[in-house]
Amino acid sequence: MEEVLNNKTKGTGMQSIIAKACSVLAKHYPFLLQVLLLHMVRAIAICGALMFVIVDQPQSPLILLIVLFLLGQISAVEFLAICLKLSRSQSAQLFEMQSLAVYLRWFLVTSFFVVCFLLGIIFALIPGLVIAILFSTYGFAILDGHSAVNSVKTSIRIARPVFFQILVLGAIITIPELIFSSPLLVGISIALEFVLILSLAEIYINGTHNFIAAEVRNDG
């Protein structure tokens, strides 16, 4: 199965993946900007309303930070769901609310990833980088209904055959982001982030298709 997967993966080059991601971005860029704007408005509105309720409490700054963090994570899950749907040529809404179980699995796996990543960075840069690549598609697996453990396993299985391609993809996106980090060029940075997420969505979609094809061949 691993050999079949590797052969399939080689047929889908990183160039074609980035090209597909750019094509999806060009088609849906105004919509994705609307998503970002409305999610920011939602967070500001909720935090603003909460501020009037807890303004007299001494812990109000901490509460606001926690709420803002949670809203950011919720928006991250919804944005991944939107990108995954667009990459699959499906229609997406401005707000793609998920079940409580999906959010809980996201928080659990993300917390585990952050701890592993930080430990990898503390001891050496390379282990942290390896962890980031292997965990690069777990969010999409969670959205497809995988459990917390299976989402990590699926992400690792998908990332292993294309490890260096994902590394190159990260470099292609990160280096221009550093170059165009000026506030005047924020639009370019946002577009590059969109390309990265959509490219990872394509890698996830191709990886799941390859695993299914490999399993069918083995059963045959």
Side-chain angles (χ1 to χ4, degrees):
M1 176 174 169
E2 191 73 25
E3 182 180 354
V4 174
L5 180 59
N6 286 332
N7 292 334
K8 285 279 188 178
T9 303
K10 290 176 182 177
T12 307
M14 189 55 59
Q15 184 177 355
S16 63
I17 288 175
I18 296 177
K20 177 68 182 301
C22 290
S23 176
V24 174
L25 177 61
K27 184 178 180 180
H28 299 287
Y29 190 60
F31 172 74
L32 291 172
L33 287 179
Q34 278 185 289
V35 171
L36 282 183
L37 178 61
L38 290 179
H39 279 249
M40 289 174 60
V41 170
R42 180 178 68 177
I44 292 171
I46 292 175
C47 289
L50 183 63
M51 189 179 299
F52 282 105
V53 177
I54 64 172
V55 66
D56 294 330
Q57 298 186 17
Q59 298 88 0
S60 58
L62 178 60
I63 295 174
L64 283 174
L65 285 175
I66 293 174
V67 171
L68 190 60
F69 169 77
L70 293 176
L71 288 172
Q73 294 301 306
I74 290 172
S75 292
V77 174
E78 293 183 43
F79 191 74
L80 284 183
I82 290 169
C83 289
L84 187 58
K85 283 190 172 184
L86 295 180
S87 296
R88 287 172 168 166
S89 300
Q90 300 173 349
S91 60
Q93 305 297 320
L94 291 169
F95 296 97
E96 288 286 345
M97 296 295 294
Q98 304 296 313
S99 66
L100 180 60
V102 170
Y103 291 120
L104 290 177
R105 288 197 293 268
W106 167 266
F107 290 136
L108 178 62
V109 179
T110 300
S111 299
F112 176 69
F113 161 68
V114 170
V115 171
C116 293
F117 177 75
L118 290 178
L119 288 175
I121 291 295
I122 290 172
F123 289 108
L125 179 61
I126 293 179
L129 190 61
V130 170
I131 291 169
I133 293 174
L134 294 178
F135 278 63
S136 58
T137 61
Y138 74 84
F140 302 116
I142 290 175
L143 290 168
D144 270 348
H146 290 273
S147 67
V149 174
N150 283 338
S151 66
V152 175
K153 290 181 178 179
T154 300
S155 181
I156 293 174
R157 289 176 67 192
I158 290 174
R160 281 174 57 194
V162 292
F163 182 90
F164 291 104
Q165 288 93 324
I166 296 177
L167 179 63
V168 172
L169 172 66
I172 292 173
I173 300 300
T174 302
I175 293 174
E177 275 192 327
L178 295 175
I179 296 173
F180 299 115
S181 59
S182 169
L184 297 176
L185 301 173
V186 65
I188 296 177
S189 295
I190 292 174
L192 289 171
E193 284 294 329
F194 286 160
V195 171
L196 176 61
I197 296 172
L198 290 169
S199 296
L200 290 175
E202 287 296 327
I203 290 171
Y204 172 77
I205 292 170
N206 291 335
T208 52
H209 287 171
N210 292 340
F211 278 120
I212 293 172
E215 288 173 357
V216 169
R217 291 191 180 190
N218 286 342
D219 292 340

